[in-house]
Amino acid sequence: MNTFVITDFQYHEGDGYKLNIYAKLSINRNNTESSVMIKDIHEPITFDADLLESVKIMVYTKHRIRRDNFKGVTLDESIGDLCGTEGLVSRKLYKHTEEGGMRELPRSIQFRIQVRSSSSSEEEKEKEGASMTIINEDSQSFDIHDETKRERVSSHTTDLDSDSVEGLEVAKAAFHKIKVAPWQPLLTKVERFNNLMAIIVEVHPYAKLAWSILSAASKFMVDQMDRDENIQRLVSLLDDIFEFLGEASQLETIAELTNHQENQSSDVRLRTQIRILALLSQQVTECAHFICDYAKNTNFWTRTIKHSVSQVDDKILEFQSIFSRLKAHFQDHAVLQIQLSVLQIKFTALSTNNKLDEIAIKVAVNDMLHVTGARYNPDKGCLPNTRIAIIDEIMEWANQPSGDTTGAKIFWLSGVAGSGKSAISHTVAQRFQNMGRLGSSFCFSVSSQAVRGPQHLFSTISWEMANFDYIWRQELAKVIKTNPSISSSHSIMEQFEILLLKPARALQITGPIVIVIDGLDESGDPASRKAILSVLAEKFKELPSNFYFVVTSRPEPDIFKALKPCIHVLSKHMEDISAISTNIDIFEFIQRSVSVENKISLDEKWNEGSWCKHLVDKSEGLFQWASTACLFIESDFYTAVEQLEVLLQPSGNIHNLDSLYTQILDQKTSGGGKTRVDRFVSVMKTVLALKKPLPLTALGKLCFQKELAIVKSVLQPLGALLSGVSSDSAPVQTLHTSLRDYLTDKSRSGCYFIDITEEDKNLTSACLDVMKELHFNMCQLPSSYYRNREIADLLKRVEQNIPPYLAYACIFWTDHLQKSIFQETISTAVLDFLEYKLLFWLEVLSLTRSMDIALDSLKKVISWIGDNPAFSQTVALASDALSFVATFWVVITECAPHIYLSALPFSPQESLVAEQYSGNFKNVLSLQVGKKALWPEGQSVLAGHQGHVNSVSFSIDGKYLASGSGDKSIWIWNAITHKAVLGPILGHTEGITSIIFTYDGQYIASGSQDKTIRLLDAQTGALRAKPFEGHKDYITCMASSPNGPYIVSGSNDKTIRLWDIRTGDSKVIERCHINPIRSIAFSSDGKYIASGAEDVKIWDSITGLEIKMAWESNFDMHIRSLAFSPDGLFIAAGTGDGTIKVWNIESGHGGVNKLIEGHIGSILSVAFSCDGKYIVSGSVDMTVRVWNTLTGEAVGDPLQGHTNAVTSVVFLPDGKSIASGSKDKTIRMWDLETDTGIKKHSSTTIKKHSDGHAHVVQSVAISSDGKNIVSGSYDKTIRLWDVETGIAVKDAFKGHTSRVKSVAFSPDGNYVVSGSNDNTVRLWSTATGLPVGTAYEGHNNYVNSVAFSPLGKYVASGSNDHSLRIWDVETGTMAVGPMLGHTKGVRCIAFSPNGKFIASGSDDMCIRLWDTETGKSIGGVLEGHMSWLNSIAFSYDGKYIASASADQTVRLWDVETCKQIGIPMRGHRKWVTSVTFSPTGKHIFSGSDDGTLRIWDTHTLKIVGDPLWGHASRVTSVAISSDGQYLVSGSADQTIRVWDLKLVLLSLNTYSPLPQTSGPSPFNKKFKIMDGWVVGPGTRLLFWLPLWNRDIPFYPKNPVVITQNPTILDYTRFVHGEQWVNCKTRVQDLAV
């Protein structure tokens, strides 16, 4: 062995000398290649070799961003020949041709090579070898002593002379060498340890990695040495460890013993020592990562700046502790009795404030969408000593120093089927798992696409990351809590951005985090994996720099196109791996896979192991061939020699894998005999046709007309081709996808060809047959009180009670049905299923978290049967079941028992499902009043979006509907079939706010919060132009010109832009409105544009000039939506106050032509029908309403079905349908009749209980005798009710022309006074219900509050005009006033009990007292509230005033001193709207926008008991009877509730236990309605209420509810809790 030195290295290309070059010397030593990296060609390179050994030099150009470029290689020649050349050696460069030859290139290299004298000292060798790194073939490393390039002298040194600059540089270099010195001994020791461990496969990969990381990072770690002593402490620690290992005598013994494989398994101490060395090497790697981040990565310090220095010290002490423990165990030769693991550096926040409860975190995380069984399998990894180079390359790539943001972050390994990609990925995953660096692994499989598809990838990765790191788990739980729907989202882009990016940005861990994705090509077809590729190609760079993805796949065109051009993707093809290396690995694989006994017999037949070489040659580099061949050789029934002779038979030109498969199948079917082949095809057809692999026992249930014994006889001998055949529990599937490819291609498989499409009919029948096993309470659930996710042992119950074949049948039966030809026998079986097993099927879907397929499954049934008249009954029942599932989706999904306890009882009277099943479930709730006749409107639900649907739009021909969502996606739907045509279409980086079709229907334009507009092809969804940019804030609305290629957009930046879609150019209208623009519309002729914000303005679409004459507005609420009528004469505007304002454009003034009222919340969208006769509106009140344009009257009932705000409504161009989008993430289609405007389904109840208000109940009061209630509403009416029965005493009092804001009884109960938004006060006779005299006029703005004086002679009123007035009841004239003093509107007033004072509360946040005789302000101003006053009340003794404010507080005031008493009373979560005193003065009662009533103790000013729940919307008004018996509350939910005050107060301290069985009423403890659920203590689920049945009385405390749609429930037979199973009626009960 000699030492050689290469100097003066040069590279030439053409006529020039190129820079940025590095080279690699490949030395062939005993048929093993080793390499020397020449990273700096300007420095001497030394290496050791024999003169006879051959060498070749490979040259590369270095790129900082792209992958390095291979420039060529010299021809092989001996080192002796090179040294024989005097002076410069010149060599041409070559490249391999496809034919296997070498092609000369116009490139060359020159260098000098010399043999160094043997007298050179070791120090000189080390010095001269400063730029040398020895590496294995195809692996990468870094120069461990490369001098950092000299920095350019800064501008601060420009005034120095050249000598000074040179001196400075010399000094810097000298100082750097001093700092480098301490590292050299450590690196030398690490390298020696690495070399010694080379033969110990359990240790060497980690030892090599530790050395590589330390070597690569040394040049920037030394720069940290002078900053603090932490680095020095760690370096000293590592040096001590390797000094100890260098002196440890047993290391060489361990290495020697490891060479003898037979000694390893028997020597426990040896195995322990090896385990310690592996742990130690891994710990050094972790320590190196920590040093790298600590010393170099600014991002590390940005993320961890909040952590104290003491934490860093603590981590170093932890390193010291674990190194000491490992060292001690190694020294003592001890058998490891305790679990030692690698310490990872994970910083956790010092503060524990705001941390989520760990149990809640686990519940939230475990409830998210994820799959199990997709992780790597260590048994499928590479055998030891195989694939070393490529595995090392991946390991070193992922362990590059942190903070290097320019390198590749995705390692894409591609190759043909069977080339060994998956084995490599499993091995890499295991390596990183052992190091504690594997964040997640996900293995796709073509046989499991249905349950392990693209939609599961990122959610599963995030779920596994939550188990990997606590910080991730905590952040993920926060994300889910903020956006609960994301836990079940199937949007790949949304999963990545919310479930991966957000937690990743909060992660505080040093070193690499590796994600392995195997078999990306098996995730589905190109369309289904498009979103994944988009993320990997475009969004991946947004992850922190220490995230690395390893991806394997076949080189499919779409994957190649997406990943190959990306600078952050390092692509490697299996063919790039040396064929010699691959064959050596296959040889090793075969040697290890064939048993010793068989190898002996094979060696006897084929001398000197030549049989193994034959197999290697036959494999042609495919590991899958070798693996299958070995399994075949090892199989029973034939000897290894016989099996090998079969394999070695010539296969001609047939693909070698195909030939192998054919040979094996020929043998297993006795030469391809017809009977055996037919049986094989029949069984394998089922195996391949399944949507999910199943175990043998399950296959026995689903193989059509095949007994389990037959199934086993076919599959069990095929262990060489299939996995799972030797077990009854493991899923049976092909060992490799290539077998499926072979069997399903007739040209390749011949008689073994399998046509999967023929099997769907058989599987449909088999699924329907096994589902006959479905029954009530499948999993023996113990209680109905808890959601599925709250049942601790639910997974165990499912495993024990729902076998795999039954679960499979429930989930996939309609997938097979859809692909089957219609048959009457199957249709009959489907009808039987719907009639007898439907609810039990829903149970299984609920408990297995598979409800997302229910709606689609029923639609497939309906579609499959079609218009076949003989089976119309089946279609009718399936359609009713579709409505059943759509209506009770929440119930069925969240809690399986409530399929029976909630869904069945509340189904409509004419529901076929209820009719079919209710007779078997009689011990449930029954509705005495309130049962619907039919299902609600809009049961055609379009679901797909994972976020709020913000906008919907029909194409001009009405064939398609486009929708845009906050989930950043666009979907296109068939407007006739309601099925998705395209989607999700991604591209925007923020939520989509508006979507429109262009005038010709060719394009779809989408506006987004990312401030851009994207133009898409309406047929393909492809982007047709560069995104339109110009707005400075997010786009809020868009409209399309009806007759040209123009669109207009409005924005939060308060501007309008008119765009030419042909060019992307825009014209901007600046400063259009004071506030952000909320809506925009084109006139039907395209001449005008209307925009809405705080007002409405009209613009000329050509000039962009405002038309000043008509559009000034005085509205108090902003415009939310605009629409032009088709004739261009009217504009309709939906406003924030819940009204629609309609203008006649030709009137020439800005006045409102028509005011339409009916909604009880902001109107977010309005649209005209194509003939202009109707206006449709959508509101935050969750309803869609249709109005007659001419009269303003409602057409039909409100369309209910959405469970959140309706954001967008649009008419189908033919006027027959309406589409609505909602924040509930769905789109609903509503059917209309052209002559009436709406196809009106009956929504009336069986029994009408009362004539409730049709709008917000704004004010309530109780007569002095406690018998009657008066209410005033936004529906412009006043109504009188019996307090005990809730029955209307009189017809509605009508006279006001606008909303009634306040009502009050006269002391004698003979009169009612009301104030309205029509600026008037009116007096009414309670005896006749007619007005008394004329309206009191004088106020010039809304009248917000009215009150009678204690003797009934006067009425006071407060108004938005800032004034109070007192009116004489007898004359109807103003007696006192106007009383001025408030600077803003007066919202509330109250007379003192003695009538001498009036108190008033105002928007100016003040309370004032007024003398009723003089009208003058008296006393001081009561100040303290932080927002406007909503309500005030005097105590019965007149000493105190209680006030309610929008600042969410109730306050108590001393009337005499005008001072606040005590502290504000806090407890409501929103505005406090109303207050009143109890007659005794002990309590104050308040109502709030949070929907609750609260009780306060006037002495302690503290909350008494829990809030009173019942109202579904804000509480607007509260009143109490003079005897203290009743408390009455009015609400925006249009109801009035009467509370038994004595029971309410009694229940504050006394609770009876929750009944476990049926009874007259379950409401004798703490109950409230939450999202439709009536819940008890501890959020126990009692039952669920549909939207139309939520106005129920809460007996006994709330005996009366006054509403238009009352619901009265009978609880007599209602069972719940642990008794819920008794809801199913026994046979003997049915006979009674």
Side-chain angles (χ1 to χ4, degrees), residues 110-337:
Q110 289 181 324
F111 56 89
R112 299 180 189 275
I113 182 168
Q114 296 176 318
V115 181
R116 191 170 56 186
S117 171
S118 59
S119 62
S120 299
S121 67
E122 286 297 318
E123 289 77 7
E124 289 176 337
K125 290 183 180 180
E126 290 178 357
K127 183 177 179 180
E128 289 181 357
S131 296
M132 180 190 73
T133 304
I134 302 294
I135 62 173
N136 286 334
E137 182 190 20
D138 294 327
S139 64
Q140 296 179 1
S141 186
F142 298 88
D143 184 347
I144 63 175
H145 297 307
D146 185 20
E147 290 283 335
T148 304
K149 293 183 178 180
R150 296 182 179 181
E151 298 177 355
R152 189 181 300 275
V153 180
S154 70
S155 57
H156 298 290
T157 63
T158 54
D159 56 342
L160 298 177
D161 58 36
S162 60
D163 292 338
S164 299
V165 172
E166 182 178 357
L168 177 63
E169 291 298 311
V170 171
K172 285 171 64 179
F175 182 64
H176 181 78
K177 288 182 178 180
I178 293 173
K179 293 193 295 179
V180 168
W183 286 95
Q184 182 60 48
L186 170 61
L187 294 171
T188 301
K189 295 169 187 174
V190 176
E191 183 179 1
R192 288 172 181 168
F193 174 74
N194 173 50
N195 292 336
L196 188 57
M197 293 295 102
I199 61 173
I200 306 180
V201 294
E202 296 93 333
V203 180
H204 182 246
Y206 306 109
K208 181 178 180 181
L209 197 58
W211 176 70
S212 176
I213 297 172
L214 285 172
S215 300
S218 63
K219 56 179 174 289
F220 61 79
M221 286 193 292
V222 295
D223 293 330
Q224 180 70 15
M225 291 283 286
D226 61 329
R227 291 206 282 270
D228 58 52
E229 63 180 15
N230 288 323
I231 295 294
Q232 296 178 28
R233 290 169 59 192
L234 285 174
V235 170
S236 298
L237 176 63
L238 293 176
D239 187 73
D240 178 65
I241 286 293
F242 284 101
E243 178 71 24
F244 155 72
L245 290 175
E247 297 174 354
S249 59
Q250 61 261 49
L251 278 187
E252 293 184 1
T253 302
I254 291 172
E256 183 178 351
L257 288 175
T258 306
N259 265 327
H260 304 286
Q261 188 173 2
E262 63 273 11
N263 293 332
Q264 294 188 51
S265 58
S266 59
D267 192 334
V268 177
R269 293 182 182 276
L270 174 63
R271 304 309 308 161
T272 300
Q273 298 287 65
I274 291 174
R275 172 63 178 149
I276 293 173
L277 290 174
L279 281 171
L280 192 145
S281 300
Q282 295 170 40
Q283 192 60 66
V284 171
T285 300
E286 287 299 324
C287 190
H289 281 306
F290 174 70
I291 294 174
C292 292
D293 278 338
Y294 183 80
K296 176 185 177 184
N297 193 348
T298 57
N299 291 333
F300 173 82
W301 289 108
T302 301
R303 288 182 291 167
T304 59
I305 194 68
K306 59 181 176 287
H307 306 300
S308 65
V309 174
S310 64
Q311 276 195 289
V312 176
D313 292 336
D314 290 344
K315 297 304 176 186
I316 294 176
L317 289 175
E318 288 181 36
F319 274 127
Q320 290 176 327
S321 174
I322 198 165
F323 276 133
S324 297
R325 292 169 64 196
L326 289 168
K327 178 179 176 181
H329 280 288
F330 187 82
Q331 280 181 311
D332 296 342
H333 302 273
V335 177
L336 219 54
Q337 300 295 335

Side-chain angles (χ1 to χ4, degrees), residues 1257-1259 1387-1388 1428-1432 1443-1450 1468 1470-1476 1485-1493 1513-1518 1529-1532:
V1257 178
Q1258 182 61 25
S1259 180
R1387 282 187 179 260
C1388 48
W1428 64 78
L1429 276 296
N1430 285 318
S1431 178
I1432 54 176
S1443 59
S1445 169
D1447 65 8
Q1448 303 181 17
T1449 69
V1450 176
H1468 284 296
K1470 293 185 179 180
W1471 300 350
V1472 186
T1473 55
S1474 184
V1475 288
T1476 187
F1485 300 88
S1486 61
S1488 167
D1489 260 26
D1490 63 14
T1492 69
L1493 291 84
S1513 186
R1514 67 181 188 273
V1515 176
T1516 56
S1517 180
V1518 294
S1529 57
S1531 170

Side-chain angles (χ1 to χ4, degrees), residues 19-32:
L19 298 175
N20 207 22
I21 292 293
Y22 71 92
K24 184 167 68 173
L25 276 69
S26 179
I27 304 168
N28 192 328
R29 181 174 297 147
N30 298 324
N31 294 323
T32 300

